[in-house]
Amino acid sequence: MESSCPSTPRWNLDRPFLTGRFHQEIKGTSRFAADAKGFSLDSCSSGLENPIGCYDAAVQELIVIDDLLFALVGIEGRYISIKRVHGKDDAVTFQVDASMDLALQEFARRIFPLCESFLLIDQFVESRSQFKNGLVNHAFAAALRALLLDYQAMVAQLEHQFRLGRLSIQGLWFYCQPMMGSMQALSTVIQKASANNYAGSAVLNLLQSQAKAMAGDNAVRSLLEKMTQSASNAYLSILERWIYEGVIDDPYGEFFIAENKSLQKESLTQDYEAKYWRERYSLKEDIPSFLANIAGIILTTGKYLNVMRECGHNVQVPVSENSKLMTFGSNHHYLECVKAAYDFASGELLNLIKEKYDLIGKLRSIKHYLLLDQGDFLVHFMDIAREVLLKKHDEISVEKVQSLLDLALRTTAAAADPCHEDLTCCVERSSVLKGLSTLKDLDIRNVSDSNDLEEAISITGLETFSLSYKIRWPLSIVISRKALTKYQLIFRFLFHCKHVERQLCGAWQLHQGVRALNTRGTAISRSSLLCRSMLRFINSLLHYLTFEVLEPNWHVMHGRLQTAKSIDEVIQHHDFFLDKCLRECLLLLPELLKKVGKLKSLCLQYAAATQWLISSSVDIPKLEEQSDGSLGSERSKPLKSRNPSQAQKVMTRNSAVTDSILKFEREFNAELQSLRPILSSSSQAEPYLTHLAQWILGVGNDQ
């Protein structure tokens, strides 16, 4: 994440004498160059023209100690020079005059690693103190600067001892040894951090891993742990604001939680993928190792606090002295603080959504309307909207359908529901089978549909009509666009089944209306049996969908929601309920869904033809009614007693009616028989289909 930070003033870059590297960076600043320009030096510089080997060992020792004291703070001496390593900008090496006494050279070379470590650390402190390097690097550099102050104080004390004549080369080496391991360990960390340009959690992970690697050296390990602690203070302050206030105060983009400000809460009602809840705040790759196991809890805690703040519900986790995140030592106190913050935020948000926003009540209302739990309004709506919904989907006025829906809601028991005003309607542009293709997160087997083009032309409002629901924040976290789409797919399937049932009921009523007439010699009896079989099929299907699938799963979900501990558990239980209902309602089994669709289509064709089938049978005697005015007597006449032309007409029409009924019967039975092996095999892999198989196969056996 790009972060904005103040720019470094030009003078801080243009004037190298303000930094500690000018001795190595600026040519001609050594004492040799100063002497060449004619400057007078102190008496010690008068011997610079002579190699150190010209002096006896005692004098050489004094000169070497003096040079080493300079080298310890990164400054060249008279006979000790600093050279850059070719190809490595940050690497330096110390060199001695070749004529120096070998014993002194050996002592000097032993101390040089400490000098080199100082230079590396000093350079790191200067470079990482710039704004752009982030708060963790700033804190780490500040801790190193404090360490260097102690180090320089030690060098000053050694110089004081040297001026008093109490410091030998062996003494200098003795006093330098305790600092050697710590400084070299820090220089190793710094080299890795510089080479990889580490910042934020990467620096903390590096320090912690190095501390673990130095487990055998207590002094070095303690120093590295102290450095880690100092560097992490700034990071923990960011973490503290996140888990206690839900605010990311991260000016340099170092925190392991990223915020995508382009995603707004309003997108939950439109975005099918529900990216807001998953991607508004997300985990980065670089997570401090000591927080890796609870990173998800930390992310969730802040998200919960954010939701409450977006609701205008200002809640802050109670903070005490014991809950300050200033340390992450072996006592794991920080884990307890994070867990306590999570429990508080989770409980507060869950109570807010359940109590103030009545999540359970809203879900129950959706169940009433979209899962047809209370269908009195639907019966009235289907009566008054049937003519409109029989049109093609692109010819339907959604506004007119909405007005009819409002009328049905106001004139039925649904008017007592305070949530009925949130109910709206829409007309989709594709069938249920096509709509399932939007459910990318579910396992739906692809079944090629050869009737795609025909379906798009012949589809009517009865197949595409759907109810919708206005969901407001924060309930849209649970009932997102994706969840609402699943509700709508279930509703459309149920709605069309209800339509088929109503049409078959109308056909059955026609059959019951002619029972008093003498239908002997006609195909009405056979038609009545077929109608009864179709009704049993659609009633069995609706019974399975409502009483075997939706109701039991709803009660299971309702019980789980009552015991949920967090809003994420609520989302999980709700999504599981919808996915289970989709699968058990056959919507994720396209092969079965298409078979059921063909059966429903046959039922609708038969119901539409019932009026003609019956009228063609019972209206035949009306031909004789006109000749002698006696309907009953003519109907009771046997076919042989009628004149030949009338008898021929009766036989022809009866034959056509019988052929039509037999055709419907054959096709319906064939589809039922083809459904038998599919249901039998599927019920083994999908146990919930067992009940449906028993009902459907029972219808087939009756046939």
Side-chain angles (χ1 to χ4, degrees):
M1 182 176 110
E2 294 294 330
S3 56
S4 59
C5 57
S7 58
T8 303
R10 287 287 304 172
W11 54 261
N12 197 28
L13 302 174
D14 295 341
R15 297 177 63 185
F17 277 85
L18 294 178
T19 72
R21 294 187 63 190
F22 72 92
H23 296 284
Q24 301 96 52
E25 293 178 348
I26 302 300
K27 295 180 179 180
T29 59
S30 67
R31 297 186 184 184
F32 296 100
D35 183 57
K37 292 183 179 181
F39 288 100
S40 61
L41 301 173
D42 57 31
S43 57
C44 293
S45 65
S46 59
L48 286 178
E49 298 176 358
N50 300 322
I52 193 172
C54 299
Y55 304 99
D56 58 29
V59 176
Q60 285 189 43
E61 181 179 359
L62 295 174
I63 295 173
V64 170
I65 293 174
D66 187 52
D67 279 6
L68 283 173
L69 290 172
F70 277 106
L72 284 171
V73 292
I75 301 173
E76 286 185 328
R78 286 170 291 178
Y79 296 100
I80 295 177
S81 58
I82 301 175
K83 302 294 182 183
R84 289 186 175 280
V85 177
H86 183 67
K88 297 182 180 179
D89 293 338
D90 296 334
V92 295
T93 182
F94 286 80
Q95 295 181 351
V96 297
D97 191 313
S99 63
M100 185 182 297
D101 181 78
L102 293 178
L104 294 175
Q105 286 189 41
E106 179 61 26
F107 274 112
R109 289 193 177 96
R110 289 182 185 179
I111 298 174
F112 284 164
L114 185 58
C115 305
E116 293 167 3
S117 297
F118 171 82
L119 276 177
L120 281 172
I121 296 171
D122 189 47
Q123 177 186 339
F124 183 85
V125 169
E126 290 175 354
S127 62
R128 290 304 186 274
S129 296
Q130 296 177 8
F131 291 117
K132 64 180 181 180
N133 293 295
L135 295 176
V136 173
N137 272 322
H138 293 172
F140 184 31
L144 290 173
R145 188 180 292 111
L147 178 72
L148 290 183
L149 286 176
D150 292 340
Y151 172 86
Q152 289 168 333
M154 181 202 75
V155 175
Q157 291 172 353
L158 290 174
E159 183 180 16
H160 179 66
Q161 293 296 317
F162 175 63
R163 298 304 176 195
L164 296 176
R166 299 175 184 171
L167 186 67
S168 63
I169 191 71
Q170 292 87 353
L172 180 61
W173 167 239
F174 174 80
Y175 289 117
C176 286
Q177 282 186 79
M179 289 284 288
M180 191 77 72
S182 300
M183 294 290 281
Q184 284 185 310
L186 285 174
S187 65
T188 301
V189 172
I190 284 166
Q191 284 175 317
K192 291 181 180 179
S194 299
N196 297 286
N197 198 26
Y198 283 156
S201 56
V203 175
L204 300 179
N205 288 336
L206 177 61
L207 282 167
Q208 201 167 31
S209 64
Q210 287 297 117
K212 291 179 180 178
M214 300 301 295
D217 190 331
N218 287 332
V220 174
R221 189 188 70 249
S222 298
L223 176 64
L224 289 175
E225 287 176 350
K226 183 179 179 182
M227 290 291 132
T228 309
Q229 186 64 63
S230 299
S232 66
N233 283 341
Y235 201 88
L236 291 176
S237 65
I238 300 174
L239 174 62
E240 193 173 285
R241 285 209 69 188
W242 172 250
I243 66 169
Y244 290 155
E245 301 176 37
V247 175
I248 295 182
D249 185 9
D250 183 24
Y252 301 102
E254 300 171 280
F255 198 40
F256 65 89
I257 295 175
E259 180 181 9
N260 186 355
K261 294 184 178 180
S262 64
L263 294 175
Q264 300 297 320
K265 63 180 184 291
E266 290 77 16
S267 67
L268 280 171
T269 58
Q270 303 165 359
D271 177 22
Y272 174 80
E273 298 297 332
K275 292 180 180 178
Y276 176 86
W277 186 245
R278 293 183 293 105
E279 299 181 15
R280 174 61 190 266
Y281 297 101
S282 57
L283 295 176
K284 299 179 183 177
E285 292 183 1
D286 291 332
I287 301 175
S289 56
F290 63 94
L291 296 175
N293 293 333
I294 56 170
I297 294 177
I298 293 171
L299 171 66
T300 305
T301 303
K303 282 170 66 175
Y304 290 171
L305 293 173
N306 264 284
V307 172
M308 288 186 277
R309 195 170 64 247
E310 293 273 7
C311 295
H313 190 71
N314 237 350
V315 174
Q316 186 172 349
V317 178
V319 181
S320 63
E321 287 301 320
N322 292 331
S323 61
K324 291 289 185 181
L325 292 176
M326 300 309 294
T327 60
F328 62 94
S330 57
N331 60 358
H332 300 302
H333 173 65
Y334 67 99
L335 296 177
E336 298 174 5
C337 294
V338 171
K339 185 66 169 63
Y342 169 78
D343 290 340
F344 177 84
S346 176
E348 283 291 315
L349 179 59
L350 200 58
N351 289 335
L352 182 71
I353 286 184
K354 280 186 175 181
E355 304 300 329
K356 181 177 178 180
Y357 293 96
D358 191 20
L359 171 65
I360 304 296
K362 187 68 70 173
L363 289 174
R364 189 176 289 110
S365 178
I366 292 176
K367 175 174 177 275
H368 290 339
Y369 299 121
L370 271 73
L371 301 185
L372 306 187
D373 181 38
Q374 292 180 350
D376 59 331
F377 88 95
L378 189 69
V379 173
H380 185 38
F381 172 74
M382 293 178 80
D383 286 337
I384 61 179
R386 183 175 180 275
E387 296 299 325
V388 178
L389 294 178
L390 282 173
K391 298 179 182 178
K392 292 181 180 179
H393 65 86
D394 53 355
E395 298 175 359
I396 296 175
S397 169
V398 179
E399 291 78 11
K400 184 174 182 179
V401 177
Q402 181 66 52
S403 65
L404 293 174
L405 177 64
D406 293 339
L407 177 62
L409 290 171
R410 288 195 300 269
T411 55
T412 58
D417 181 6
C419 298
H420 80 272
E421 294 181 355
D422 292 330
L423 195 66
T424 61
C425 69
C426 58
V427 178
E428 303 292 346
R429 299 301 175 192
S430 60
S431 66
V432 172
L433 198 59
K434 294 281 196 329
L436 288 167
S437 61
T438 60
L439 303 179
K440 300 175 183 176
D441 57 323
L442 296 174
D443 179 23
I444 306 174
R445 292 194 292 271
N446 291 324
V447 177
S448 59
D449 191 352
S450 59
N451 298 322
D452 284 353
L453 295 177
E454 297 177 13
E455 185 183 67
I457 295 172
S458 62
I459 198 168
T460 66
L462 290 165
E463 287 85 19
T464 59
F465 170 76
S466 179
L467 294 180
S468 189
Y469 213 91
K470 296 176 184 176
I471 305 296
R472 297 174 180 84
W473 175 265
L475 295 182
S476 54
I477 295 173
V478 179
I479 313 169
S480 61
R481 175 71 259 174
K482 179 190 290 187
L484 198 57
T485 300
K486 294 175 182 178
Y487 274 116
Q488 289 175 321
L489 287 168
I490 296 172
F491 169 81
R492 290 173 63 186
F493 187 50
L494 288 173
F495 180 78
H496 194 256
C497 289
K498 284 284 187 182
H499 167 64
V500 175
E501 182 190 37
R502 283 171 59 84
Q503 296 302 104
L504 288 174
C505 285
W508 179 253
Q509 289 172 357
L510 285 176
H511 283 92
Q512 297 305 301
V514 297
R515 286 184 66 181
L517 301 178
N518 183 9
T519 57
R520 190 171 51 187
T522 68
I524 291 180
S525 299
R526 188 154 197 149
S527 175
S528 179
L529 290 174
L530 177 59
C531 185
R532 188 177 67 177
S533 296
M534 288 183 170
L535 262 175
R536 278 199 61 190
F537 161 73
I538 198 67
N539 286 334
S540 299
L541 179 61
L542 280 169
H543 180 276
Y544 165 77
L545 295 174
T546 52
F547 294 103
E548 301 285 349
V549 176
L550 297 178
E551 281 297 328
N553 287 325
W554 165 265
H555 286 295
V556 171
M557 180 194 70
H558 184 267
R560 288 174 176 172
L561 293 186
Q562 297 295 340
T563 59
K565 295 296 192 330
S566 69
I567 195 67
D568 280 299
E569 284 188 27
V570 170
I571 295 171
Q572 181 182 350
H573 295 324
H574 183 241
D575 288 345
F576 180 79
F577 160 73
L578 287 174
D579 295 344
K580 198 165 187 288
C581 288
L582 280 172
R583 181 164 295 281
E584 295 185 6
C585 285
L586 316 181
L587 293 174
L588 303 187
L589 302 171
E591 188 178 9
L592 268 176
L593 188 62
K594 290 181 72 175
K595 284 291 181 185
V596 171
K598 288 180 181 178
L599 284 166
K600 290 193 297 178
S601 178
L602 280 172
C603 292
L604 287 175
Q605 292 173 28
Y606 168 77
T610 301
Q611 180 72 41
W612 172 78
L613 293 173
I614 294 179
S615 62
S616 296
S617 297
V618 301
D619 285 346
I620 293 171
K622 290 181 181 178
L623 295 172
E624 289 83 11
E625 181 184 0
Q626 297 175 0
S627 61
D628 61 6
S630 177
L631 176 63
S633 61
E634 288 299 324
R635 283 181 177 172
S636 61
K637 284 183 181 181
L639 195 60
K640 293 179 181 178
S641 65
R642 300 176 185 178
N643 62 60
S645 61
Q646 289 178 337
Q648 183 63 35
K649 289 179 181 179
V650 170
M651 292 179 64
T652 303
R653 296 180 70 176
N654 272 345
S655 176
V657 170
T658 303
D659 290 344
S660 297
I661 292 174
L662 287 174
K663 180 183 177 184
F664 279 121
E665 188 176 319
R666 282 195 303 271
E667 291 182 0
F668 182 72
N669 288 335
E671 289 296 334
L672 271 182
Q673 292 302 320
S674 67
L675 191 61
R676 180 192 296 267
I678 298 175
L679 270 177
S680 297
S681 59
S682 298
S683 61
Q684 296 176 3
E686 311 286 353
Y688 54 82
L689 292 176
T690 304
H691 296 292
L692 178 63
Q694 291 171 351
W695 282 99
I696 299 298
L697 298 182
V699 174
N701 291 333
D702 288 349
Q703 285 296 105

